[in-house]
Amino acid sequence: MLITGTSRGIGAFLSGYYAEKGYQVFGCSRGPVDFELENYRHFCLDISDEKQVLAMFTDIRKACGRLDVLINNAGIASMNHVLLTPYATARGIVDTNIIGTFLFCREAAKLMQRHNFGRIVNFATVATPLKLEGEAMYAASKAAVVSLTQVLARELAPLGITVNAVGPTPVKTDLIRSVPREKMEALISRQAIPRFGNMEDIANVIDFFISPESDFITGQVLYLGGV
Amino acid sequence: MADREKILNILFSAIDDFNEIRPGEAPISKSKDTILFGSGGVLDSMGLVTFIVTSEQKIAEETGISITLADERAMSLRNSPFRTVGTLADYIHMLMAEQE
Ligand SMILES: NC(=O)c1ccc[n+]([C@@H]2O[C@H](COP(=O)([O-])OP(=O)(O)OC[C@H]3O[C@@H](n4cnc5c(N)ncnc54)[C@H](OP(=O)(O)O)[C@@H]3O)[C@@H](O)[C@H]2O)c1
């Protein structure tokens, strides 16, 4: 299994969660991880840098010869009114959230097709359907991830690969630290079940998508909290 | 740089791999004259996609060189490089020469 964005937040949790379940986990982020797990191997890279990504996939191919699951968790957000959003911020969001997700889907699918089996889980967000003000580029980038998920589901179905997405509600990680409290509460009150999400809520959805029995489930986006 | 003969052999071992991952389908024969794609070709469009990927992986494994076979140029050439195993070998040979 390969998980992106494992140095902290949801990705760090998922690394421990799946390593404990017995998966051989490969993880990556720009920075190192501060945990050590027996069946975990880390790569320091930027997920939008094609060269680095290709080199990592070559290593994985040499080490394992196969890849069954990809969890495209790495992502960045930036709370900003559109009038105050710098070009570099917008560019970074596009590169990480869209290009990074695309590159990993493409390279993972090349490995997965060899065994005619694969499970890809992408990360969407409730900010897209809730049209969250202040997160225009973030919401738009994740809308692109939804489209990518739905089209790839069709393109990769003949290769035995399913592609789905989980859409978390706010979870207390660094990603949302800069969002003002009132804004967060207003957002959460728009959910059918108005509470913060937790890591287990997300793992539960991923477990469902990657289970062997879910081979007839693809192109789906599952939003948490009843959004 | 890999010569044309070596590239053909790499493509033959890509064909072995490819035949293996598609049990139940008619195997592709290892000849430079095998018509891959287009009228009389053995591959449908999805088959061509997986064959290209398998070939790229084999080339990387055997030569350490990463090349992209299906770029805009390949798609726009009047004589498709994906017509036969031989034309594909020529195209790979050219791409590798350019990378030198
Ligand atoms: N937390 C929430 O409320 C929430 C809600 C909805 C959706 N999500 C989604 O859930 C996912 C995980 O979010 P999180 O809350 O865990 O975020 P986080 O705590 O900020 O962690 C993000 C992770 O991604 C890595 N990363 C960021 N940019 C990268 C790049 N260019 N290359 C490689 N790694 C990169 C970071 O590591 P480095 O900095 O070391 O590179 C870090 O490990 C994201 O896709 C996010 O959009 C989160």
Side-chain angles (χ1 to χ4, degrees), chain A residues 186-208:
Chain A
L187 177 65
I188 288 175
S189 71
R190 293 168 67 193
Q191 297 168 193
I193 306 171
R195 68 157 167 86
F196 270 99
N198 54 47
M199 308 281 186
E200 288 78 8
D201 295 324
I202 296 166
N204 178 41
V205 177
I206 298 175
D207 280 342
F208 169 64

Side-chain angles (χ1 to χ4, degrees), chain A residues 3 7-8 14 20 24 34 36 56 70 72 104 119 124 152 170 172 174 177 180 183 189 209:
Chain A
I3 306 174
S7 62
R8 51 177 191 277
L14 293 174
E20 204 156 281
Q24 167 63 49
D34 60 6
E36 241 179 74
M56 184 196 64
L70 165 67
N72 263 321
F104 275 74
R119 297 275 183 269
L152 293 195
K172 287 178 183 158
D174 287 356
R177 237 188 7 204
K183 204 128 193 143
S189 71
F209 283 145

Side-chain angles (χ1 to χ4, degrees), chain A residues 104-118:
Chain A
F104 275 74
C105 286
R106 189 187 72 189
E107 292 309 310
K110 287 181 184 174
L111 266 181
M112 290 168 170
Q113 56 97 21
R114 289 180 159 201
H115 296 92
N116 206 39
F117 177 88

Side-chain angles (χ1 to χ4, degrees), chain A residues 17-37:
Chain A
Y17 179 83
Y18 286 110
E20 204 156 281
K21 282 191 175 229
Y23 281 91
Q24 167 63 49
V25 179
F26 295 94
C28 63
S29 50
R30 286 162 302 178
V33 291
D34 60 6
F35 54 82
E36 241 179 74
L37 293 163

Side-chain angles (χ1 to χ4, degrees), chain A residues 5-11 28-31 45-47 73-76 96 123-125 138 142 168-171 173-176:
Chain A
T6 49
S7 62
R8 51 177 191 277
I10 298 165
C28 63
S29 50
R30 286 162 302 178
L45 55 78
D46 184 323
I47 59 162
N73 160 81
I76 53 173
T96 302
F123 269 65
T125 169
Y138 176 63
K142 293 294 190 173
T169 60
V171 180
T173 67
D174 287 356
L175 191 89
I176 61 168

Side-chain angles (χ1 to χ4, degrees), chain A residues 61 110 113-114 155 159, chain B residues 21 50 53 56-57 61:
Chain A
R61 196 171 66 226
K110 287 181 184 174
Q113 56 97 21
R114 289 180 159 201
E155 290 191 10
L159 305 174
Chain B
I21 60 174
T50 25
V53 168
E56 286 176 348
Q57 288 175 341
E61 268 166 35

